[in-house]
Amino acid sequence: MKRVPLSELERIYEALKSYGSVWVRKKNAYETAETPEELLSTVSKVKKPAKFIFLPEEEPLLAFVQDGKNVTFQEVIREAKGVIFGIPPCEAKAISLLDLNFLQGEGEDIYYKKRRENVLLFGLACLAPDSRCFCTTFGYGPFTESFTDIFGVVVDDVLLFEGITEKGKDLVKNLDVEDAKGEELKKLEAMKKEITERVKKLDIQGIQEKLARMMDSEIWDKISSSCLGCGACTYYCPTCYCFDIQDVERPNWGYRLRTWDSCMFTLYTLEGSGHNPRPELKYRWRNRLMHKFNYYPVLYQEFGCVGCGRCIEVCPVNIDIREILMEVKNEPIRA
Amino acid sequence: MNPYAPELYRIKKTVFESDDFTLKSFLLEPIDGNMMDFIPGQFCEISVFGKGEAPFGIASAPHEKEGLLFTVNRVGLVTGALHEMEEGHIVGIRGPLGNGYPVDEFKGKNVVIIGGGFAFTTLRSLTLYLLENRKDYGKITVIYGARRPGLLLYKEDLANWEKRGDIELHLTVDTEFPEWDKHVGFVPQVLEKVAPSPENAYAVVCGPPVMIKFTLPVLAKLGFEKDKVYTSLERRMKCGIGKCGRCNIGPYYVCKDGPVFSLAQLEKLPKEY
Ligand SMILES: Cc1cc2nc3c(=O)[nH]c(=O)nc-3n(C[C@H](O)[C@H](O)[C@H](O)COP(=O)(O)OP(=O)(O)OC[C@H]3O[C@@H](n4cnc5c(N)ncnc54)[C@H](O)[C@@H]3O)c2cc1C
Ligand code: SF4
Ligand code: SF4
Ligand code: FES
């Protein structure tokens, strides 16, 4: 591990800057830093997750020009290059889950890929998990480095860090920094244990199999009864990615736009005939929970939730996904 | 490769298929001359630039090299704009998408094709494919119905098939019409009357939900096993490649893992279609 005192962060800032944009944590969103001091942000959970950088709320996919019966078009690919500094393990893991959808199999999403492959994740251990965090439920925790390119921990007034991936190691190699001191590493271990234990872990063992048998359960009525269908939970969720594609038309030209969408909306599945395969909120809630706790595991052997607690925080009617998971777990199965 | 970038196709020919002008067919040719290869039952996303994209089953057969055929029911934004288009207009095509009918699994078997209304599109493709590769397949039976004679698609093809000795065609309309000398009644009733044998056979069913609902019990009664009955599902779609999340039924995406499923497969999935 390497070390750099927080008072000398400009020593790594320039190197990060030479890689591209440097995004740092602000209260509401990740924003590009103008000064090395901004790396010092202590925001522990940014409201809008970093997925916005890879999957913007809206982006043009192509632009076209019409001339009588003729049309020509051009692909429009918005690239991004840089480092997200301070991304916590939960969000880094969430990005690894988005990769499963956007980068696996045939038909790689090149819009996502062009940004993903040129943006490094400089993760920082999460030192202040809050009352809504339940990351340890999913087999990782506030000090897990595996989903990042470079991972660091702030110990007192020093940043300790190391390269995790090849790209991360390359960047660290060229930095003018010293090796971490023995007592700092010792302190790090103690912090890791203490802070990780602070997170309240849920016991969701067997939830995937249980859900598979609960398609027709009455629990969905109960869960969805107070839900407004506003979709806030899905917009702020770092693992949700549903999108819509629509054309914007101007006289003789236009563009095709990808925008976020939400499985909590009626229009999401409404068909041309008026038929809707998920006509009521309870079916949409069922789909949301199933997608994260049954379908994702079936497809990728990974849960589609990282336990960040954002959906709990933003829900206007205080629906708590942890309580729902416990209800599912405790619900008797009718024969 | 950008999976969202369409290929440009030019409309070569259009024809109204139904006497009420709600169903219009489009023959499309690639402007770069490269006709795509596909399997009957696959579909494409057609772009009307400025209006958007919508999915349509391919109605032509892979060996029909003069162009891709689509038949479009006018219901909304994209389909409405398509209906306004004529020969020479350019549209975008992404595809072929989806799995298609299991034509290899059908080899050596009898195939019963059951269609209702304008859902006959990909069944036209399938029927022509089976006829083109006639020696690979057993008996071919087609049962196809519409509310009235004027709503039956592809009349030229139907007339050709009637003349051939190697395909059994049963056409039906809901009620009696002057000069209509074929079956009268709903598709499930005609299926019951024709009573194709389930022996060494597969059935493919496409049509409006009510038709499917009443056809499946008849097939079961005739003895068709659930893994020998295939249908093609429709869901609202956007990306067509399993990314946007919209068309899932359980862990499967209709656009990527479907649209063709066997009843045995569907039985294990939530009834979200
Ligand atoms: C695999 C597959 C194959 C298909 N094959 C064929 C085929 O061969 N031929 C064919 O004709 N069709 C086919 N379809 C159906 C076809 O894709 C739809 O009819 C088409 O997408 C409708 O598009 P549209 O833009 O015209 O309608 P839209 O304008 O999108 O919608 C029509 C109606 O949907 C509702 N609606 C949708 N969006 C909204 C909104 N934002 N706000 C309010 N209401 C809304 C309204 O009731 C509206 O009138 C197929 C579908 C699938 C999935
Ligand atoms: S806790 Fe909520 S917001 Fe966070 S990953 Fe899970 S579902 Fe998404
Ligand atoms: S944020 Fe709450 S009210 Fe809104 S859709 Fe999600 S669960 Fe329902
Ligand atoms: S249409 Fe996007 S996932 Fe099927």
Side-chain angles (χ1 to χ4, degrees), chain A residues 3 9 16 36-37 55 62 90 118 144 166 203 247 262 280:
Chain A
R3 75 187 292 279
L9 280 179
L16 300 182
E37 286 71 44
L55 191 65
L62 41 98
C90 55
N118 294 317
T144 300
E166 282 313 311
D203 177 9
D247 279 10
S262 170
E280 291 168 53

Side-chain angles (χ1 to χ4, degrees), chain B residues 236-247 253-255:
Chain B
R236 196 173 171 82
M237 289 181 185
K238 285 289 175 175
C239 71
I241 53 172
K243 302 259 179 269
C244 76
R246 185 168 318 265
C247 70
Y253 293 100
V254 175
C255 65

Side-chain angles (χ1 to χ4, degrees), chain A residues 4-10 12-13 16 22-26 33-44 85-86 124 127 153-159:
Chain A
V4 59
L6 294 185
S7 56
E8 296 168 28
L9 280 179
E10 68 277 0
I12 65 167
Y13 178 71
L16 300 182
V22 179
W23 288 273
V24 294
R25 292 163 294 160
K26 293 286 169 71
E34 304 300 333
T35 63
E37 286 71 44
E38 288 179 86
L39 297 182
L40 286 167
S41 164
T42 52
V43 173
S44 71
F85 183 85
L124 281 187
L127 302 183
V153 185
V154 175
V155 175
D156 297 329
D157 49 7
V158 180
L159 170 66

Side-chain angles (χ1 to χ4, degrees), chain B:
Chain B
M1 240 280 292
N2 183 347
Y4 302 102
E7 299 290 331
L8 296 180
Y9 277 63
R10 183 179 288 109
I11 300 178
K12 200 170 167 185
K13 210 173 116 188
T14 67
V15 53
F16 279 109
E17 293 283 354
S18 60
D19 58 9
D20 64 355
F21 303 103
T22 57
L23 297 167
K24 190 170 176 178
S25 284
F26 297 84
L27 189 66
L28 308 178
E29 57 178 353
I31 63 170
D32 66 2
N34 292 324
M35 258 293 285
M36 70 171 72
D37 202 15
F38 61 92
I39 302 165
Q42 287 191 295
F43 68 96
C44 293
E45 286 277 351
I46 302 188
S47 294
V48 178
F49 292 96
K51 305 297 178 197
E53 287 184 302
F56 301 96
I58 307 173
S60 50
H63 64 272
E64 294 183 297
K65 296 293 180 202
E66 59 274 27
L68 289 178
L69 184 72
F70 295 94
T71 300
V72 175
N73 185 24
R74 181 175 198 144
V75 293
L77 187 63
V78 174
T79 53
L82 261 175
H83 267 243
E84 298 303 317
M85 294 183 132
E86 284 305 333
E87 276 100 82
H89 269 116
I90 302 288
V91 296
I93 291 275
R94 287 196 293 129
L97 304 170
N99 57 357
Y101 298 113
V103 286
D104 285 334
E105 198 183 321
F106 292 173
K107 277 194 179 146
K109 313 282 187 207
N110 303 327
V111 185
V112 182
I113 294 168
I114 305 162
F118 74 92
F120 199 72
T121 53
T122 58
L123 296 182
R124 175 189 185 272
S125 175
L126 175 63
T127 307
L128 287 173
Y129 177 89
L130 298 180
L131 291 174
E132 176 72 8
N133 301 282
R134 191 65 194 85
K135 60 180 188 327
D136 293 341
Y137 299 94
K139 190 173 172 190
I140 302 171
T141 310
V142 174
I143 299 172
Y144 174 32
R147 265 180 291 138
R148 50 194 169 78
L151 294 181
L152 285 167
L153 304 179
Y154 316 129
K155 298 202 176 60
E156 234 175 83
D157 299 300
L158 299 178
N160 284 337
W161 300 345
E162 288 209 292
K163 279 186 234 139
R164 294 176 69 133
D166 57 358
I167 170 171
E168 192 180 315
L169 180 65
H170 297 276
L171 297 177
T172 183
V173 292
D174 289 1
T175 51
E176 301 275 357
F177 280 90
E179 282 168 54
W180 180 258
D181 55 359
K182 305 184 177 69
H183 296 278
V184 173
F186 299 124
V187 167
Q189 298 163 352
V190 175
L191 173 65
E192 201 159 6
K193 203 159 68 183
V194 173
S197 162
E199 211 56 47
N200 198 36
Y202 278 88
V204 180
V205 193
C206 291
V210 280
M211 184 206 99
I212 300 207
K213 188 172 159 207
F214 290 106
T215 300
L216 297 183
V218 178
L219 282 172
K221 210 167 104 188
L222 291 171
F224 281 84
E225 299 288 343
K226 292 203 163 97
D227 60 346
K228 299 288 188 296
V229 179
Y230 280 87
T231 186
S232 184
L233 297 184
E234 278 195 16
R235 281 283 304 265
R236 196 173 171 82
M237 289 181 185
K238 285 289 175 175
C239 71
I241 53 172
K243 302 259 179 269
C244 76
R246 185 168 318 265
C247 70
N248 76 299
I249 296 184
Y252 301 107
Y253 293 100
V254 175
C255 65
K256 175 164 129 312
D257 306 307
V260 176
F261 293 94
S262 73
L263 292 190
Q265 288 171 315
L266 289 181
E267 203 172 48
K268 297 198 201 94
L269 297 175
K271 300 278 163 287
E272 293 186 341
Y273 45 89

Side-chain angles (χ1 to χ4, degrees), chain A residues 64 66 69 73 75 101 107 109 111 241 243-245 247 249 256 261 268 270 275 278 286-287 295, chain B residues 1-4 6 47 49-53 87 90 235-236 238 243-246 248 250 253 272-273:
Chain A
F64 46 86
Q66 286 159 316
K69 289 182 172 181
F73 75 89
E75 297 168 29
N101 182 59
D109 192 299
Y111 297 84
Y241 58 76
F243 60 83
D244 191 8
I245 301 175
D247 279 10
E249 193 174 28
R256 182 155 294 164
D261 206 340
Y268 185 65
L270 183 68
H275 171 67
R278 293 184 204 127
R286 178 176 76 180
N287 185 65
Y295 307 157
Chain B
M1 240 280 292
N2 183 347
Y4 302 102
S47 294
F49 292 96
K51 305 297 178 197
E53 287 184 302
E87 276 100 82
I90 302 288
R235 281 283 304 265
R236 196 173 171 82
K238 285 289 175 175
K243 302 259 179 269
C244 76
R246 185 168 318 265
N248 76 299
Y253 293 100
E272 293 186 341
Y273 45 89

